[in-house]
Amino acid sequence: MDLLPLLLMFGLLGLMMYFMSRRQRRAQEQQRQLQDSLAVGDRVMTTSGLYGTVVDVSSDTTIGIEIAPGLETEWLRAAVREKVNPDVEDVEDELVDEVDEEEELVDNEPPPAKDDSADVEDVKQK
């Protein structure tokens, strides 16, 4: 009878290990698919958090990533963590430009004229 709880504990432990390894294999497969699907022009983030645009995928183990205009670096495919939305920075730049334009318009407008007639009427009523 002392053997049944021990077998049950080992059975549960084995079941947990099976499901954990299955989840890990699934994550590895997704990462491999991502690295195999990289194409020129994809915007990516590396495992170190560096953003760039893929410019060369001719090698099986490495890719070329442009991290700044005219600055291309070579990375292992395994260093790519994820693809990111290519429009994120463009949209932010457009929003900054729009805010700057609005500020220029506000700066160029004359201050509104003050209407003293309403203040005079309030004083007369008191």
Side-chain angles (χ1 to χ4, degrees):
M1 284 291 187
D2 292 332
L3 190 59
L4 183 62
L6 189 61
L7 287 175
L8 186 58
M9 187 174 73
F10 280 122
L12 289 174
L13 183 63
L15 194 62
M16 283 186 351
M17 289 177 62
Y18 169 74
F19 283 116
M20 287 183 354
S21 67
R22 194 173 106 180
R23 184 181 307 152
Q24 186 177 13
R25 276 185 274 141
R26 188 178 305 140
Q28 287 174 347
E29 179 63 24
Q30 287 175 345
Q31 189 67 19
R32 188 187 61 74
Q33 287 176 355
L34 167 74
Q35 292 165 0
D36 290 343
S37 71
L38 292 174
V40 174
D42 287 344
R43 185 106 170 113
V44 296
M45 181 176 73
T46 64
T47 54
S48 61
L50 186 71
Y51 289 90
T53 305
V54 177
V55 291
D56 181 24
V57 292
S58 59
S59 174
D60 289 338
T61 58
T62 61
I63 60 171
I65 298 178
E66 184 179 43
I67 56 176
L71 182 59
E72 184 180 328
T73 57
E74 190 172 343
W75 292 75
L76 288 173
R77 282 183 183 264
V80 175
R81 176 182 291 163
E82 62 185 85
K83 287 184 184 181
V84 294
N85 188 357
D87 298 330
V88 171
E89 289 185 3
D90 297 337
V91 170
E92 289 175 359
D93 291 341
E94 290 174 8
L95 290 175
V96 169
D97 292 342
E98 289 177 11
V99 169
D100 290 342
E101 290 174 3
E102 289 175 6
E103 288 176 357
E104 289 176 8
L105 291 175
V106 171
D107 291 341
N108 293 336
E109 293 177 2
K114 186 175 179 184
D115 187 16
D116 292 333
S117 61
D119 293 336
V120 173
E121 289 177 15
D122 289 339
V123 172
K124 287 182 183 178
Q125 290 177 357
K126 291 182 181 181

Short mmCIF file of all heavy atoms in Angstrom, two decimals, residues 4 14 16 45 55 86 99 104 114 116 119:
data_model
loop_
_atom_site.label_atom_id
_atom_site.label_comp_id
_atom_site.label_asym_id
_atom_site.label_seq_id
_atom_site.Cartn_x
_atom_site.Cartn_y
_atom_site.Cartn_z
N LEU A 4 1.63 2.72 -3.75
CA LEU A 4 0.65 3.45 -4.57
C LEU A 4 0.86 4.96 -4.54
O LEU A 4 0.91 5.59 -5.63
CB LEU A 4 -0.77 3.09 -4.11
CG LEU A 4 -1.90 3.73 -4.93
CD1 LEU A 4 -1.83 3.23 -6.36
CD2 LEU A 4 -3.23 3.40 -4.30
N GLY A 14 5.91 12.77 -14.21
CA GLY A 14 6.16 12.44 -15.61
C GLY A 14 5.20 13.15 -16.55
O GLY A 14 5.59 13.63 -17.62
N MET A 16 3.66 16.06 -15.98
CA MET A 16 4.02 17.48 -16.01
C MET A 16 5.23 17.71 -16.91
O MET A 16 5.27 18.67 -17.69
CB MET A 16 4.33 17.99 -14.60
CG MET A 16 3.11 18.24 -13.77
SD MET A 16 3.39 19.01 -12.15
CE MET A 16 5.11 19.01 -11.91
N MET A 45 13.28 42.82 -34.56
CA MET A 45 13.93 43.16 -33.30
C MET A 45 14.80 41.98 -32.91
O MET A 45 14.35 40.83 -32.94
CB MET A 45 12.91 43.44 -32.20
CG MET A 45 13.57 43.84 -30.88
SD MET A 45 12.44 44.28 -29.58
CE MET A 45 11.79 42.67 -29.15
N VAL A 55 18.26 43.30 -44.81
CA VAL A 55 18.72 43.69 -46.14
C VAL A 55 19.42 42.55 -46.89
O VAL A 55 19.65 42.67 -48.09
CB VAL A 55 19.67 44.91 -46.07
CG1 VAL A 55 18.92 46.16 -45.65
CG2 VAL A 55 20.84 44.66 -45.16
N PRO A 86 6.38 47.55 -39.40
CA PRO A 86 7.30 48.50 -40.04
C PRO A 86 6.82 49.94 -39.97
O PRO A 86 7.59 50.85 -40.18
CB PRO A 86 7.35 48.02 -41.49
CG PRO A 86 6.07 47.32 -41.69
CD PRO A 86 5.72 46.69 -40.36
N VAL A 99 2.33 67.73 -34.86
CA VAL A 99 2.34 68.54 -33.64
C VAL A 99 3.19 69.78 -33.86
O VAL A 99 2.82 70.89 -33.46
CB VAL A 99 2.85 67.72 -32.43
CG1 VAL A 99 3.13 68.60 -31.24
CG2 VAL A 99 1.85 66.64 -32.08
N GLU A 104 3.50 75.69 -34.81
CA GLU A 104 3.87 76.82 -35.64
C GLU A 104 2.66 77.67 -35.96
O GLU A 104 2.73 78.90 -35.94
CB GLU A 104 4.53 76.34 -36.94
CG GLU A 104 5.91 75.76 -36.73
CD GLU A 104 6.50 75.20 -38.02
OE1 GLU A 104 5.88 75.40 -39.09
OE2 GLU A 104 7.56 74.57 -37.93
N LYS A 114 -9.45 90.93 -26.43
CA LYS A 114 -10.18 90.80 -25.18
C LYS A 114 -11.44 91.67 -25.26
O LYS A 114 -11.39 92.82 -25.66
CB LYS A 114 -9.31 91.23 -24.01
CG LYS A 114 -9.96 90.98 -22.68
CD LYS A 114 -9.02 91.30 -21.57
CE LYS A 114 -9.73 91.06 -20.24
NZ LYS A 114 -8.89 91.43 -19.12
N ASP A 116 -13.89 93.67 -23.30
CA ASP A 116 -14.07 94.29 -21.99
C ASP A 116 -15.53 94.63 -21.70
O ASP A 116 -15.87 94.92 -20.56
CB ASP A 116 -13.24 95.58 -21.89
CG ASP A 116 -11.75 95.27 -21.87
OD1 ASP A 116 -11.41 94.16 -21.44
OD2 ASP A 116 -10.94 96.13 -22.28
N ASP A 119 -17.08 92.48 -18.94
CA ASP A 119 -16.60 92.80 -17.61
C ASP A 119 -17.28 94.06 -17.07
O ASP A 119 -17.62 94.15 -15.89
CB ASP A 119 -15.08 93.02 -17.62
CG ASP A 119 -14.33 91.73 -17.92
OD1 ASP A 119 -14.91 90.65 -17.67
OD2 ASP A 119 -13.19 91.81 -18.39
#
